[in-house]
Amino acid sequence: MRLFADQEALDKELADLKGEIGQQLGLVSLEVPLISNLDVWRNIALIYQYHQEASQKNAQTFVMQCLNRFNLEKIAYKRNPTLSEEERFYVKVLRAA
């Protein structure tokens, strides 16, 4: 599964996300784990809720839009142990963004 055709496509998507959510981008690291008792959408939503003071419903809507944007909606309700390494990386990228 390849999410971006090249670096230019990745840079464009990151710029679009920055425009939508502001300059609050985090780092992606293999050392920072996902919270394993939360499913994917909640792992991403937790950070969004903290920074945007969003309700759970609004955060879920936003996260599902992000997952749909990258054709990752099928992993929304998976938990960390059931993700492939590639899926885990994508979740970390969205969580950081």
Side-chain angles (χ1 to χ4, degrees):
M1 172 195 243
R2 186 167 181 157
L3 193 57
F4 300 101
D6 53 32
Q7 186 65 39
E8 187 176 319
L10 172 61
D11 291 342
K12 182 190 177 314
E13 287 297 333
L14 284 174
D16 289 348
L17 278 174
K18 278 184 191 178
E20 290 174 28
I21 62 172
Q23 295 297 319
Q24 299 173 336
L25 291 177
L27 298 175
V28 177
S29 171
L30 295 176
E31 304 301 316
V32 179
L34 297 174
I35 301 170
S36 52
N37 66 337
L38 295 180
D39 48 22
V40 164
W41 83 263
R42 288 179 194 270
N43 259 285
I44 299 167
L46 187 64
I47 305 305
Y48 180 78
Q49 284 181 277
Y50 176 79
H51 287 289
Q52 302 297 320
E53 297 181 19
S55 69
Q56 183 172 332
K57 182 178 179 181
N58 289 344
Q60 183 178 19
T61 299
F62 175 76
V63 170
M64 294 307 291
Q65 288 172 348
C66 290
L67 291 170
N68 287 334
R69 179 186 217 169
F70 302 112
N71 297 318
L72 295 171
E73 61 277 356
K74 65 186 175 296
I75 68 168
Y77 297 97
K78 286 185 169 183
R79 293 192 178 193
N80 186 29
T82 62
L83 297 173
S84 70
E85 287 298 317
E86 191 171 10
E87 290 170 334
R88 191 172 292 111
F89 176 76
Y90 294 147
V91 171
K92 288 181 180 186
V93 168
L94 286 173
R95 183 178 66 174

